[in-house]
Amino acid sequence: MIRAVYPGSFDPVTFGHLDIIRRSSGLVDELIVGVLNNNAKSPLFSVGERVKMLEEVTEGMPKVRVLSFEGLLVDFARGVDACMVIRGLRAITDFEYELQMSQTNHKLDSKIETAFLTTSLEYSYLSSTTVKEVAAFGGDISQFVPKNVIDRIQEKYRRK
Ligand code: ADP
């Protein structure tokens, strides 16, 4: 039984994240999407809102579960009995940070391996940050995020 964790901020979930979720869940028995509760990043969406949006978009995926976590990723992975961490790589700019994180995590717990999936070409430019920037100026984000996320982002910026 291979259980993997796909951790991130998901503020909010994009089609790029969904692509990694779809592809990686096909490789494992269970995929736990771990939503990081990190107030230092001052996210647009609360951790509860981010979990809810991910639950909605992964509803038809029986192998996928969504949980939030705080603290060290290796502690979370160990706590849910996962032996693998999945991360997405978009460009060379992601590489240095991801390499450092995976090596640090391996030092902290050598039983947990990190596996990288390279992004599908059509999403290689896509990040939650740019989605929020476009949405803040009223731009069309329908190519970037699912419908339930569009509605929630628009609602946020209407209130601001
Ligand atoms: P973090 O703040 O941990 O980087 P993100 O929510 O930005 O969290 O990303 C979570 C994971 O998803 C990371 O591994 C990131 O590289 C990956 N990811 C983000 N956007 C994309 C994309 N467009 N295509 C593939 N992977 C992506």
Side-chain angles (χ1 to χ4, degrees), residues 44 127-139 141 153 157:
L44 178 65
S127 75
S128 300
T129 305
T130 52
V131 170
K132 284 181 281 191
E133 277 168 7
V134 173
F137 292 109
I141 52 168
I153 295 189
Y157 285 115

Side-chain angles (χ1 to χ4, degrees), residues 6-11 14-17 19-20 36 41 86-90 94 97-98 117-120 123-128:
Y6 175 40
S9 308
F10 306 103
D11 185 40
T14 69
F15 285 135
H17 295 129
D19 176 57
I20 298 288
L36 180 62
K41 275 199 168 179
I86 302 283
R87 293 286 288 176
L89 280 179
R90 277 165 294 192
D94 282 342
Y97 173 73
E98 293 293 343
L117 264 68
T118 51
T119 177
S120 296
Y123 304 125
S124 58
Y125 65 91
L126 191 51
S127 75
S128 300

Side-chain angles (χ1 to χ4, degrees), residues 2 4 20-31 63 84 86 115-117:
I2 297 182
I20 298 288
I21 292 173
R22 258 192 221 105
R23 287 162 54 209
S24 60
S25 63
L27 303 173
V28 299
D29 299 297
E30 189 176 15
L31 182 73
K63 285 187 192 176
M84 196 193 287
I86 302 283
F116 295 100
L117 264 68

Side-chain angles (χ1 to χ4, degrees), residues 9-127:
S9 308
F10 306 103
D11 185 40
V13 56
T14 69
F15 285 135
H17 295 129
L18 260 181
D19 176 57
I20 298 288
I21 292 173
R22 258 192 221 105
R23 287 162 54 209
S24 60
S25 63
L27 303 173
V28 299
D29 299 297
E30 189 176 15
L31 182 73
I32 296 179
V33 181
V35 182
L36 180 62
N37 188 7
N38 178 0
N39 289 330
K41 275 199 168 179
S42 49
L44 178 65
F45 291 100
S46 70
V47 70
E49 291 171 318
R50 285 178 275 146
V51 166
K52 183 96 184 57
M53 285 186 278
L54 272 157
E55 280 173 348
E56 288 166 3
V57 296
T58 58
E59 213 184 324
M61 302 183 197
K63 285 187 192 176
V64 179
R65 260 203 301 155
V66 185
L67 296 174
S68 64
F69 75 102
E70 287 177 295
L72 284 177
L73 173 60
V74 288
D75 289 338
F76 174 61
R78 222 184 283 125
V80 294
D81 206 16
C83 60
M84 196 193 287
V85 170
I86 302 283
R87 293 286 288 176
L89 280 179
R90 277 165 294 192
I92 194 76
T93 43
D94 282 342
F95 183 75
E96 209 168 327
Y97 173 73
E98 293 293 343
L99 182 69
Q100 198 176 24
M101 281 311 299
S102 69
Q103 289 175 336
T104 305
N105 287 335
H106 202 257
K107 280 280 175 200
L108 294 173
D109 189 332
S110 60
K111 289 198 279 304
I112 297 172
E113 295 289 356
T114 304
F116 295 100
L117 264 68
T118 51
T119 177
S120 296
L121 271 182
E122 65 263 47
Y123 304 125
S124 58
Y125 65 91
L126 191 51
S127 75

